[in-house]
Amino acid sequence: MNIIIFGPNGSGKGTQGAVVQKKFAVPHIETGVIFRENIKKGTELGKKAKGYIDKGELVPDDITVPMILDRLKEPDCAKGWLLDGFPRNLAQAEAIWAALEKAKMKLDYVIEIVLDRETSKKRIMGRRLCATDNNHPNNIFIDAIKPSMKDGKMVCRVCGDDRLTTRADDQDEDAIDKRHGIYYDAETGTLSAVKYFKDRVKVIELDGLPGVKEVSEDLIKKLS
Ligand code: AMP
């Protein structure tokens, strides 16, 4: 199964991505996570990407596109993949479409989580990251995935890890606005990439406003 999931930052894309990953047992490839791991390790790629990420700007396509196309060639992707955070603009959509055609690979599903900008922003600011597993969703503003409390301390609701952190770019309103500006841009930004796929394949649309459970149920129903 080859799947691409779209949704503005804060729409629950990562959370629903984890549901898809579980259903199809394919690697969940998140561009932002790859960049952040590289920054943490101090790699050349991380050094190049950091400045853009801190400002909420896209890392240039000549870095991002080959990085993702190479990642999809790794052995764990042989049976499929779930791509999250890529493509994020029209050029990236064209690049992955061309790469798939060249490799004679099919795109099985394209999923779009639809959510307004204001709600997405609030949800971003409430997001908490679990140090044990990036796929353990926690958000202080969403009841269904609120972190648990243990001995007066906030802990991951899935595994109880007390190392819950925020991402710097999630607490910076300018960076959030920039990221959303890119997402909601229907001319050359991410919505234009969504449209690119809508013109070519059937895109599964999900309303991101209801609770996590309702969105997951809708997703599972539409995937089967
Ligand atoms: P995310 O974790 O998806 O919110 O991504 C965090 C940051 O990584 C973004 O704000 C960009 O700076 C960078 N990034 C993630 N995906 C891409 C992409 N497809 N193209 C360029 N930059 C990206």
Side-chain angles (χ1 to χ4, degrees):
M1 282 291 165
N2 299 326
I3 305 162
I4 295 178
I5 187 164
F6 286 105
N9 313 86
S11 65
K13 180 165 50 75
T15 308
Q16 301 306 332
V19 172
V20 177
Q21 183 194 31
K22 209 163 158 202
K23 181 171 166 65
F24 294 115
V26 287
H28 186 178
I29 300 169
E30 295 174 83
T31 334
V33 171
I34 300 178
F35 284 133
R36 280 189 291 282
E37 282 172 358
N38 276 277
I39 291 172
K40 218 195 256 172
K41 287 186 202 145
T43 66
E44 268 318 299
L45 175 67
K47 280 180 202 152
K48 280 188 202 153
K50 188 170 185 319
Y52 299 102
I53 291 179
D54 287 346
K55 283 185 270 178
E57 289 168 6
L58 287 188
V59 178
D61 289 344
D62 61 345
I63 298 175
T64 309
V65 173
M67 175 185 91
I68 288 298
L69 297 184
D70 285 348
R71 176 69 187 86
L72 297 184
K73 287 183 199 141
E74 284 181 28
D76 65 327
C77 292
K79 288 203 179 124
W81 36 261
L82 165 66
L83 208 43
D84 174 344
F86 186 97
R88 236 163 160 118
N89 60 24
L90 194 54
Q92 293 181 3
E94 286 166 352
I96 185 135
W97 186 260
L100 288 172
E101 287 211 311
K102 194 170 164 216
K104 296 198 176 11
M105 277 162 91
K106 195 173 145 242
L107 196 51
D108 296 284
Y109 292 111
V110 177
I111 301 162
E112 179 194 14
I113 302 182
V114 180
L115 191 65
D116 67 275
R117 194 163 170 162
E118 209 176 304
T119 311
S120 300
K121 181 170 177 177
K122 187 164 174 240
R123 289 189 183 172
I124 286 188
M125 300 192 84
R127 195 147 68 181
R128 296 296 178 269
L129 299 186
C130 168
T132 299
D133 190 333
N134 182 56
N135 275 324
H136 289 172
N138 289 274
N139 194 306
I140 61 169
F141 294 140
I142 303 177
D143 284 341
I145 54 168
K146 247 196 191 131
S148 308
M149 292 302 286
K150 195 178 163 207
D151 302 330
K153 209 172 168 204
M154 215 162 59
V155 299
C156 172
R157 47 176 275 284
V158 181
C159 69
D161 192 331
D162 64 359
R163 292 165 302 157
L164 288 184
T165 55
T166 55
R167 278 168 46 184
D169 59 343
D170 278 358
Q171 303 302 312
D172 175 340
E173 289 201 41
D174 285 344
I176 294 173
D177 286 340
K178 243 187 226 162
R179 280 147 77 199
H180 279 158
I182 294 165
Y183 188 86
Y184 291 99
D185 173 358
E187 294 299 315
T188 57
T190 313
L191 283 185
S192 72
V194 178
K195 162 112 183 16
Y196 181 89
F197 288 107
K198 281 185 175 163
D199 291 342
R200 287 162 178 81
V201 292
K202 187 179 167 340
V203 174
I204 296 176
E205 274 185 43
L206 300 174
D207 177 5
L209 205 52
V212 173
K213 195 164 155 271
E214 287 83 355
V215 181
S216 297
E217 282 167 1
D218 188 22
L219 171 60
I220 295 290
K221 198 172 71 202
K222 288 176 174 163
L223 286 175
S224 44

